[in-house]
Amino acid sequence: MTMTTTTTTTMHSNHIAGRWVDGSDSTSNINPSDTDDIIGHYARADAGQVTDAIGAAAEAFKGWSTTTGQERADILDTAGSEMRARQGELADLLAREEGKTITEARGEVDRTIRIIRYHAAQALMPAGEVVHSIRPGVKIDVVREPVGVVGVITPWNFPLAIPAWKIIPALAYGNTVVFKPADLVPASAWHLVDILVRAGLPDGVLNLTMGRGSVVGDAIARDPRVSALSFTGSVATGAHVLEAAQSHQARVQLEMGGKNPLIISDDADLDVAVSVAVDGSFGSTGQRCTAAERFIVDERIHDAFVEALAARMSKVVVGDARDPRTQMGPVVDARQLEQNQAALRRAEADAGEVIGGELVEAPRPGFYMRPAAVVGTKQTDWINVEEVFGPVVSIVKSRDHDEAVALANDTEFGLSSGIVTTSLAKAADFQRRSKAGMVMVNVPTAGVDYHVPFGGRARSSFGTREQGTYAREFYTTVKTTYVGAGTV
Ligand code: UN1
């Protein structure tokens, strides 16, 4: 099937202080399903423009922080309605620039709209409490106030949803934002900002500075006028952001890698186990920080599970993200494809056996590979230690439940973890003993709800949780006021 593409040479600009401004440099946005398809050209900001954007956000904070929750909710709601009306077009663009399937892209746009509506409503939620003092005649108010200018730095794997779950609560609670999307996926970010500013955000409340992390991200993280930084991306970049932000005591929230385990118990239903495994590990081409990359399989069910998994994997249709028949799209770029292939070569050399993982010849040039599973690995193998961030899983055998839990927890990361079991006792035990921030029982390790806390432990995360009402901890700061009666 042929995909309709409208290659455009229009330059998409940055948005600073209410104006669309070109950058000193630009990037071509390339479709990973068809590298001949250039989606558009996107400006890259320089450090001076980032400084301007932060200045504009600091200036706009004075007015925006004193608007009512209703005013903010109305603007966000208007943006959500436009996204709903344009859901098909936005999903097509997202699939085209990132490479997740059109079904997954539609789901992400839908999730983004729900995130917008949820936080629009949160803007009206009670913002504090009144407490009796320990002194007679004194009343205490505890009020939440916005933090100030928030820097938002996002990855390429969820081009709309991750920006939304940072930007929308930041705005809803009265903060202003400087937003740097991933250099690989500027189109979805550009549309998100375009829709939000046209919905009525005053000038400077939301600024878009596209470009490279080493230039734009660094300038945001270092600027002392930025009071809070929310980042999702790699461990190495997260460490850099933290260090830069700490120099001026900005509050920081980091969501980084995972090496998420999925335990398959000896009592698991095989069909459930394979579905949970395939969905959680190969959905979004495995490019989710919540994806399960390690399967820990009880030796009594191991061979049957591997056989059923291999059969299911061989049926996964890999192809153009926008072809409705496709079940797994390409990986995002050449570098990521090479990293995945290198990981497989290394795992094979460590004496594992690789199922799948072959490069795929498609009608159009793209970054296609088949889902891969490495069988017969040892817990200490490299493949069980470092995150791959692709459709690559490794399988370790466990003797019993206790050993499986120990193997699951034997990682420096702690984002999500999962178990497939029919035993209530094992499920409850794993829920209690897992060291991850999110535990999944009989559901995939990836794919989370937007109204509950999201985040991990150990090397995976830093700072307070994202999403749901927990987002308020990061995007507001508390003021405690003591009010005396004014009499002696
Ligand atoms: C999900 O699994 O639904 O970067 C979301 C990531 C995560 C988001 C995962 N921050 O993959």
Side-chain angles (χ1 to χ4, degrees):
M1 104 173 242
T2 50
M3 300 293 149
T4 44
T5 50
T6 42
T7 296
T8 164
T9 50
T10 313
M11 178 65 69
H12 291 84
S13 308
N14 285 310
H15 193 72
I16 299 170
R19 286 200 310 276
W20 293 100
V21 285
D22 283 345
S24 49
D25 184 13
S26 70
T27 184
S28 303
N29 189 355
I30 291 167
N31 178 351
S33 300
D34 176 0
T35 55
D36 291 337
D37 174 28
I38 296 176
I39 297 159
H41 303 285
Y42 290 80
R44 277 178 169 154
D46 59 27
Q49 289 177 321
V50 175
T51 301
D52 292 348
I54 295 168
E59 189 56 33
F61 181 71
K62 295 172 194 159
W64 184 246
S65 59
T66 59
T67 52
T68 62
Q70 186 65 62
E71 286 171 80
R72 299 193 296 273
D74 286 348
I75 293 171
L76 298 177
D77 199 47
T78 300
S81 299
E82 179 171 338
M83 288 194 93
R84 178 64 79 204
R86 295 173 57 193
Q87 184 167 357
E89 168 210 340
L90 292 168
D92 183 70
L93 183 66
L94 199 162
R96 189 174 161 204
E97 78 167 341
E98 198 271 347
K100 65 181 62 178
T101 67
I102 187 65
T103 309
E104 291 168 333
R106 269 195 215 107
E108 184 172 341
V109 180
D110 194 52
R111 177 180 189 167
T112 304
I113 296 161
R114 292 174 181 191
I115 288 167
I116 292 174
R117 297 209 161 134
Y118 176 86
H119 289 291
Q122 289 299 314
L124 290 165
M125 290 297 172
E129 54 185 334
V130 177
V131 184
H132 294 297
S133 170
I134 58 170
R135 283 167 277 172
V138 176
K139 180 193 78 168
I140 302 173
D141 276 347
V142 182
V143 179
R144 287 185 179 272
E145 297 182 344
V147 176
V149 177
V150 176
V152 168
I153 303 176
T154 55
W156 48 261
N157 62 335
F158 284 88
L160 277 180
I162 294 181
W165 81 51
K166 297 178 190 294
I167 293 170
I168 305 301
L171 297 176
Y173 293 119
N175 303 281
T176 56
V177 172
V178 178
F179 168 37
K180 188 208 107 56
D183 204 27
L184 276 174
V185 291
S188 299
W190 189 94
H191 282 283
L192 179 65
V193 171
D194 175 52
I195 289 169
L196 281 163
V197 298
R198 280 189 297 95
L201 290 179
D203 291 353
V205 169
L206 173 59
N207 302 274
L208 173 69
T209 50
M210 299 178 285
R212 289 216 173 86
S214 55
V215 177
V216 179
D218 190 68
I220 294 174
R222 288 196 183 286
D223 197 304
R225 293 169 298 175
V226 173
S227 302
L229 264 153
S230 185
F231 166 89
T232 300
S234 71
V235 173
T237 311
H240 182 79
V241 166
L242 182 61
E243 198 194 331
Q246 275 183 340
S247 65
H248 55 96
Q249 291 180 308
R251 64 170 67 176
V252 179
Q253 178 180 64
L254 307 174
E255 286 301 339
M256 300 173 288
K259 193 71 200 178
N260 309 306
L262 176 68
I263 295 176
I264 313 290
S265 295
D266 61 328
D267 53 52
D269 178 289
L270 260 191
D271 283 342
V272 174
V274 171
S275 293
V276 166
V278 168
D279 181 334
S281 298
F282 303 129
S284 298
T285 320
Q287 299 173 141
R288 289 187 283 194
C289 57
T290 43
E293 288 201 355
R294 294 188 292 139
F295 295 165
I296 299 159
V297 186
D298 191 288
E299 61 187 13
R300 284 158 285 200
I301 200 176
H302 178 273
D303 293 356
F305 172 77
V306 170
E307 194 183 320
L309 177 72
R312 183 79 69 89
M313 283 168 62
S314 70
K315 294 204 190 84
V316 172
V317 179
V318 176
D320 190 310
R322 293 152 81 209
D323 184 331
R325 289 167 302 192
T326 295
Q327 293 169 334
M328 192 178 99
V331 302
V332 75
D333 69 356
R335 195 172 133 252
Q336 200 68 42
L337 184 63
E338 176 44 37
Q339 259 172 244
N340 298 344
Q341 293 293 318
L344 288 176
R345 287 194 294 271
R346 188 162 175 178
E348 206 166 15
D350 286 340
E353 172 207 338
V354 175
I355 299 170
E358 304 86 0
L359 296 173
V360 176
E361 283 293 326
R364 305 296 310 158
F367 308 116
Y368 299 104
M369 66 177 278
R370 294 209 53 81
V374 189
V375 187
T377 68
K378 298 182 294 301
Q379 174 71 2
T380 49
D381 289 350
W382 176 88
I383 192 79
N384 285 315
V385 177
E386 292 297 332
E387 184 178 40
V388 177
F389 214 68
V392 175
V393 301
S394 49
I395 300 177
V396 174
K397 259 188 211 173
S398 57
R399 277 191 309 277
D400 54 25
H401 177 71
D402 270 352
E403 192 192 33
V405 175
L407 289 168
N409 283 335
D410 184 9
T411 169
E412 291 184 10
F413 294 105
L415 186 56
S416 64
S417 67
I419 187 167
V420 182
T421 181
T422 52
S423 156
L424 191 55
K426 282 182 193 162
D429 179 69
F430 183 62
Q431 178 182 1
R432 189 170 51 77
R433 286 205 278 162
S434 174
K435 287 192 189 157
M438 297 179 290
V439 179
M440 312 292 189
V441 177
N442 294 327
V443 289
T445 57
V448 299
D449 291 5
Y450 61 88
H451 64 307
V452 289
F454 175 91
R457 299 178 181 177
R459 261 176 86 199
S460 289
S461 304
F462 179 87
T464 54
R465 290 286 187 264
E466 300 195 84
Q467 307 206 52
T469 54
Y470 284 67
R472 194 171 62 178
E473 295 305 319
F474 187 73
Y475 295 107
T476 64
T477 184
V478 158
K479 183 181 279 168
T480 312
T481 305
Y482 295 77
V483 184
T487 53
V488 278

